[in-house]
Amino acid sequence: MATGHHLTTQEPQGEVMNYGLNAPHGPDMTGTHPIAVDANPDMTQNEREVFNYLLRPDDSYTENGVYWADLPIMQRIKFVNKVNNIESRRELGAFWTMFKNDPLAPIGFYMRNMVLPGAGLGLEGYVLFSIGNVKPLFQAVFPNCWSKYKVCNKQWIYAVDYLEIIGIIVGQIMVGIIGDWIGRRWGLIQDATIMFTGLIMLTASWGVTQNGWVICYAWSLFFYGIGVGGEYPMTATSGMENAVGSGKVSTRDDRLHRGRKVTSAFLMQGWGQFFNQVILILLLLIFHHGSGNPPYSALAAQWTYRVSFAIPAVGTAWLIYWRTFKVKAAANKQLRIAKAKNAVTGYDTQSLSLCFRYFGGRVLATAGTWYMNDVFFYGNKLFQSEFITVIMPSNKSIMPGWLYNLINVGVSLCGYYLASFLIDNKLYGRKHMMTLGFLMCFIFFVVPAFKYKYYTSPGHIKEFQAMYFLSSFFNQFGPNSVTFIAAAEVYPVAVRATAHGFSAACGKLGALTAAVVYNYLTTPQKFYFVPWFGLADTTGLDLKEQERRWAYIRAGREHEYHGVAVHPKHLSLYERFRGVGKDYNPDLDYKQRVEEMRGEWEMRMSERAAEKELDHEDFDDDHPSEVHSFFARSTKSPNLRGNENEKIPPMNGQNGTNGI
């Protein structure tokens, strides 16, 4: 870099891809200075500071350029706490400024950045768990069909749970592929449209006989479930990519708040459950003449459950409008960039193959832990009626069960929010949150399993209640939140929706396992069955530089990548065992990143020069300008392969900066 031709330090921290574009002449491409900036005695102090500012941000590196995960444990704790304290003060200051300018502005900010991205999951949570909530009402009003099976086929009653889950699995896999093939925005619109149609079917479901109504109801749930399933990969991938980018460009917000943003959208599922239960209680009181006590009329039951489905149908219709006319190019931006880099126009089958080859362990980890978690999660939800029976054995009303469920959902919401606050903490984060969540769920199920009579006796029923509610808290403040974000952030953009959808589908197999097995177990046996699924765990992984590492993998140069994406801290135990982290080398990585920045600058300047030549504004065939001569001279700079007599080639055969 020529003295005096340096970058201004006013550039946004971490926006590496814009490097040099605001400089008068950009970095020196003539090879005057070695790439090893820190080792270059001719490098000015200002130039060295600029490179460190861009490549070694102060939220991840010490003043000496040491990555936070490479620090000894006590220094690491001190560094992380310092960064967290600075960021907390900055956020509180920004909040206070926003509030002073407009007291309602923080609410608008929360709605735009957390509520709207998670609206689909909120509506999904409302309807998905409404099925379990209205079942006790059906059993009370239509006992010959829903509990005694005299006029309805028992298998079709069971199929209500099965078909819903199967529909979700179909949607997760199918829409995950569509999201990577056609785009995130189309997947979002398609999900909302399917859910809207399914809600109309549920609201209007009918039959000549009660059994015919049950069949219509079950298939309506299957169709609705397809849309629900698609919400998982679409919300996770689009929310993450819109909020933090593809991972190729690492920004401060990406590093410090990615998990919170995604989890804040995911927790709308909990609010959906909460509002569903509130609305069901209000509707039953309205249509049952202000009373929640039995006997319940068939008319009151019909109005209660049908109106409860009609309300989210209105919200879903608005969601279709929002996603069609308000969510535009941003939803597909990172996917388009990834496809353009690799000259892919349809589905990137090569990336899918490479993903299973290089990230097969991650696929097993995200899919396996999600399966284990959903046995817990749906086991807890499906266990609600038995829970009420245990604590209120003589109860005949459905209202106490609904009220207890409302408390349970409220406790779960506390877990969701605490997860959003701690999931990005480097000293706690995904790994420890997953481990602690599974461990506590295991304890809160296995303890009453071996002391069932003791904890269900009148003198100890409060302890039983506490353990049941705490299992809900730690499920959200643990595996349920972590599985959702981890299945999106550990995979490259090109196949992120597919991998997330596959992992989520495996999770729903866990839900299906719980739904099937619970039909054949007694209440004490269910306590014995569930806790053992909490003994599996996987190490949380960071999205940092995921796309940059993926570019090397796609180019067949996996071992030439030396960045923090292969730091042992960010690898699973299986990947460490395979030796993936052996290529980590911060010094070599620093040199490579400087070279990549130079290549990116060259590409941008070349594109601008080509545009000017076409317009005949600044370039002339007979009298080339100084900039044109500069680019001609700068094509003989060293590249990643070490060939100093060859122009920097793109890793993937396209115009670009080595595909990074």
Side-chain angles (χ1 to χ4, degrees), residues 324-347:
T324 302
F325 296 102
K326 301 298 182 181
V327 179
K328 295 188 178 180
N332 293 325
K333 181 178 179 181
Q334 302 304 332
L335 182 63
R336 287 200 307 268
I337 292 173
K339 288 189 175 184
K341 289 285 186 182
N342 299 308
V344 175
T345 56
Y347 188 83

Side-chain angles (χ1 to χ4, degrees), residues 427-596:
L427 301 178
Y428 187 69
R430 293 125 169 87
K431 175 184 176 180
H432 297 297
M433 188 176 292
M434 173 84 81
T435 305
L436 179 65
F438 267 135
L439 177 62
M440 297 307 293
C441 286
F442 171 77
I443 292 173
F444 290 130
F445 269 89
V446 80
V447 169
F450 287 95
K451 290 286 185 177
Y452 182 77
K453 291 185 178 179
Y454 175 81
Y455 284 109
T456 56
S457 61
H460 301 280
I461 200 69
K462 298 296 182 183
E463 291 95 321
F464 180 83
Q465 290 177 264
M467 286 187 287
Y468 181 76
F469 289 142
L470 285 172
S471 70
S472 296
F473 172 85
F474 279 101
N475 185 251
Q476 312 314 322
F477 179 55
N480 200 40
S481 295
V482 176
T483 50
F484 184 81
I485 184 174
E489 68 179 350
V490 302
Y491 300 110
V493 169
V495 293
R496 181 170 290 155
T498 302
H500 188 281
F502 174 79
S503 301
C506 289
K508 287 301 172 286
L509 288 177
L512 190 61
T513 300
V516 172
V517 173
Y518 268 32
N519 288 321
Y520 303 97
L521 297 180
T522 63
T523 298
Q525 288 172 337
K526 291 171 184 176
F527 273 104
Y528 283 111
F529 172 75
V530 171
W532 305 104
F533 288 91
L535 298 179
D537 181 37
T538 186
T539 304
L541 301 170
D542 193 358
L543 185 65
K544 190 187 298 292
E545 292 209 324
Q546 180 75 1
E547 294 306 307
R548 182 166 169 259
R549 180 193 172 198
W550 181 250
Y552 279 86
I553 291 175
R554 244 191 104 84
R557 299 163 55 194
E558 176 193 15
H559 298 295
E560 294 181 39
Y561 174 78
H562 307 291
V564 295
V566 293
H567 190 290
K569 177 70 176 179
H570 304 311
L571 298 176
S572 66
L573 294 174
Y574 173 72
E575 287 173 318
R576 295 184 205 177
F577 175 77
R578 286 180 50 230
V580 174
K582 69 179 184 300
D583 294 318
Y584 174 65
N585 188 315
D587 293 331
L588 286 178
D589 180 61
Y590 187 82
K591 297 174 184 178
Q592 286 181 331
R593 292 169 71 191
V594 171
E595 188 66 18
E596 290 161 15

Side-chain angles (χ1 to χ4, degrees), residues 87 90-91 94-95 98-99 102-118 243 253 257 260-261 264-265 322:
E87 185 64 12
R90 185 194 68 79
E91 288 196 306
F95 172 83
M98 185 188 301
F99 180 81
D102 180 358
L104 296 180
I107 299 176
F109 177 85
Y110 181 80
M111 295 293 291
R112 290 190 304 273
N113 293 277
M114 280 73 174
V115 175
L116 286 177
D253 205 43
H257 304 304
R260 185 179 68 186
K261 288 186 176 182
S264 295
W322 176 265

Side-chain angles (χ1 to χ4, degrees), residues 93-148:
F95 172 83
W96 179 243
T97 301
M98 185 188 301
F99 180 81
K100 286 192 299 181
N101 293 333
D102 180 358
L104 296 180
I107 299 176
F109 177 85
Y110 181 80
M111 295 293 291
R112 290 190 304 273
N113 293 277
M114 280 73 174
V115 175
L116 286 177
L121 284 174
L123 290 164
E124 167 263 324
Y126 178 104
V127 179
L128 187 64
F129 294 97
S130 176
I131 311 308
N133 291 335
V134 299
K135 188 175 181 179
L137 180 62
F138 292 157
Q139 290 173 333
V141 178
F142 310 107
N144 289 331
C145 175
W146 284 84
S147 54
K148 298 179 181 178

